[in-house]
Amino acid sequence: MHVAIIMDGNGRWATQRGLPRTAGHVEGAKAVRAVVEAAARADLGTLTLYAFSAANWTRPAGETSALMRLFGQYLFTETRRCVEQSIRLNVIGRRDRLNGNLLRSIEQSERLTAGGNGMHLRVAVDYSSQRSIVEAARRACGHADLDPEGFMRLLQEVDHGTPPAGEVDLLIRTGGERRLSDFLLWECAYAELHFAECLWPDFGEAHLRAALDDYAGRQRRFGGVAARDPRATRGEGA
Ligand code: FPP
């Protein structure tokens, strides 16, 4: 099962407490650690976390640099834990705008966790689904026989998605907003959506379990009339 999470609400969590927004991100990073462990315990196949969108570069420089520092620290402290838990870590998104130190940490974490055969953890940094789709479409030119699976492979290539991940089964967004914010637009074609009111730093194992329970109660039809495997022939419609 592939679960993707839009981790929203760090800023509001901090503001409600009279703290700077960056304090919310620090607390958000603690929630990331807890949720990754809970997801591995829940036996998820793939967990994709939206950590930084391409549009987030428009935030004040102090906030973006604090976030980049947090990603670096996360990789530094969590890589060993991932290795111990057989979690394979992969950062998706653009890499040409990340600083050299962070880039080296990403490459090192990916190399050290590459043998993990447990959960596949993907962290989206400087990610824009629209940009990835446009870039994949550009690479698809001249391949008239390309099918959706082939296009998906191109997308993964564009996103540095190694190993490839399948389509999203469940998309969770915290923080009460109900939008996709340019996240995995292609991969979420048939995803079930779960919107949680709680702010990301407050999200924990119980909330993840509640989302998974909600998902378990959904009937997925993939455009057909009865539940069936998503990779079987797809019909049209919702
Ligand atoms: C959106 O909430 C959150 C982000 C842009 C950053 C997400 C970062 C983390 C969860 C922490 C670090 C991540 C890792 C992987 C170590 P917001 O700040 O827009 O919240 P708001 O809507 O309340 O302002």
Side-chain angles (χ1 to χ4, degrees):
M1 181 175 175
H2 182 175
V3 174
I5 308 183
I6 300 175
M7 308 182 289
D8 194 18
N10 292 349
R12 276 166 285 164
W13 185 95
T15 306
Q16 284 169 6
R17 287 161 179 77
L19 298 168
R21 290 176 56 83
T22 49
H25 296 315
V26 170
E27 211 56 31
K30 294 182 193 162
V32 168
R33 288 187 185 98
V35 169
V36 167
E37 304 221 330
R41 273 195 295 277
D43 249 347
L44 296 191
T46 304
L47 176 68
T48 306
L49 301 175
Y50 203 6
F52 192 89
S53 74
N56 287 153
W57 286 117
T58 58
R59 294 185 179 205
E63 183 170 343
T64 58
S65 56
L67 278 165
M68 293 300 144
R69 264 197 311 280
L70 269 179
F71 301 147
Q73 282 163 10
Y74 179 83
L75 294 171
F76 185 73
T77 59
E78 298 308 298
T79 298
R80 192 160 53 90
R81 247 202 283 196
C82 286
V83 172
E84 284 163 6
Q85 297 177 35
S86 296
I87 293 173
R88 184 162 185 175
L89 178 72
N90 171 214
V91 174
I92 60 167
R94 280 181 77 161
R95 296 200 172 177
D96 56 310
R97 301 193 290 189
L98 303 181
N99 84 38
N101 286 339
L102 181 58
L103 199 53
R104 277 185 290 281
S105 299
I106 290 171
E107 287 165 356
Q108 189 184 37
S109 296
E110 290 184 333
R111 211 172 33 250
L112 292 171
T113 63
N117 55 6
M119 188 176 77
H120 182 195
L121 170 62
R122 307 192 318 153
V123 181
V125 176
D126 197 3
Y127 176 86
S128 158
S129 194
Q130 288 186 337
R131 179 190 174 273
S132 301
I133 291 170
V134 168
E135 179 57 25
R138 207 180 55 74
R139 294 186 194 185
C141 282
H143 298 274
D145 55 348
L146 198 70
D147 58 9
E149 283 71 31
F151 188 75
M152 181 89 154
R153 279 194 293 277
L154 281 180
L155 259 185
Q156 314 262 8
E157 212 178 277
V158 168
D159 291 336
H160 301 96
T162 312
E167 290 187 27
V168 174
D169 296 300
L170 170 64
L171 175 79
I172 300 170
R173 180 176 186 135
T174 64
E177 312 281 5
R178 285 160 167 72
R179 54 176 173 260
L180 298 180
S181 300
D182 199 14
F183 188 43
L184 302 174
L185 301 180
W186 179 279
E187 295 86 340
C188 280
Y190 282 88
E192 295 294 325
L193 309 180
H194 176 94
F195 297 103
E197 292 304 316
C198 93
L199 304 175
W200 175 252
D202 295 325
F203 193 87
E205 181 152 19
H207 298 90
L208 178 66
R209 292 270 173 199
L212 293 173
D213 286 349
D214 177 19
Y215 171 81
R218 307 275 180 99
Q219 195 200 30
R220 304 191 73 193
R221 299 200 309 276
F222 300 98
V225 289
R228 64 176 185 225
D229 189 277
R231 279 145 279 272
T233 317
R234 265 196 198 130
E236 297 298 316

